[in-house]
Amino acid sequence: MSTNAGEVRPLLSTALTGAELRRWYWTLAELTELARRMGLPARGGKAAVTARLAAALDGLPEPAAAAPAAPRRAGRQLAAPVDGTTVIPHGQRCSQVLREYFVREIGPGFHFDAFMREYVAAHAGHTLAEAVEHWYATRARAAEPQQVGAQFEFNRFLRDWHARHPGGARADALAAWQAHRARPRG
């Protein structure tokens, strides 16, 4: 994080260089809007749109896309009623039907965390009872601090801020976020 207090975040425009674009925090909505104004594809996540914009602002060709994600095959989705013997089909999403089942079996503390999302996505052919066992088996690891993905910069900032200010109010955290994102990146 930079301490260049005298610098002011520039307007997001075609007048920026790619390096200047990367120095500042922009929301995906802001980046997408600029990409559309410039006639560039606005698809992909924040990192992809930023890379595409930076290249275009510097007069370079569009960067090669990362390996394309495997296409999602929705497949058949489970419908109520489900029970412990219900088999997870290929392509099952973390749906409301699953949430209702898990809350019924595990209790109101259930939520789809990374461990459960991964399990549902990767364990077609397993039963919902096995998924419940997986929930209980992963609680110790789930209680440990988890790495927050780079695309969730706001979430990472709030986690770090609250760790430094344990009794801090949400309004103070949001004000600190606004100040943080108004500074250039270090």
Side-chain angles (χ1 to χ4, degrees):
M1 179 168 74
S2 175
T3 58
N4 301 341
E7 290 190 73
V8 177
R9 183 175 180 239
L11 292 175
L12 183 57
S13 73
T14 58
L16 294 176
T17 65
E20 191 66 7
L21 174 82
R22 291 180 188 274
R23 283 188 72 218
W24 300 90
Y25 176 87
W26 310 101
T27 64
L28 179 58
E30 291 171 315
L31 295 168
T32 300
E33 194 272 328
L34 179 61
R36 288 187 177 129
R37 275 193 290 153
M38 293 176 65
L40 298 171
R43 71 182 178 279
K46 190 173 178 180
V49 175
T50 300
R52 195 175 301 121
L53 282 169
L57 291 168
D58 289 341
L60 301 172
E62 182 176 337
R72 275 191 176 178
R73 291 183 180 86
R76 180 181 67 85
Q77 298 296 300
L78 293 175
V82 296
D83 61 27
T85 64
T86 302
V87 174
I88 301 169
H90 179 74
Q92 176 64 43
R93 292 185 299 271
C94 296
S95 66
Q96 197 60 37
V97 169
L98 288 185
R99 179 180 311 282
E100 289 168 2
Y101 169 76
F102 291 133
V103 167
R104 197 169 56 244
E105 293 298 312
I106 295 167
F110 171 80
H111 58 281
F112 281 112
D113 59 13
F115 297 106
M116 285 303 283
R117 288 190 306 270
E118 185 278 333
Y119 189 90
V120 170
H123 288 84
H126 290 252
T127 66
L128 293 182
E130 291 171 305
V132 169
E133 290 173 17
H134 175 75
W135 166 265
Y136 288 116
T138 58
R139 290 312 83 203
R141 284 187 299 154
E144 297 170 2
Q146 304 297 312
Q147 184 71 16
V148 179
Q151 72 272 33
F152 303 114
E153 185 174 355
F154 174 69
N155 297 32
R156 277 197 336 262
F157 178 87
L158 286 182
R159 176 186 274 183
D160 294 345
W161 189 90
H162 282 293
R164 289 189 312 273
H165 307 90
R170 179 169 172 75
D172 294 335
L174 294 176
W177 167 250
Q178 292 300 322
H180 169 76
R181 67 174 269 189
R183 289 189 211 91
R185 297 174 189 264

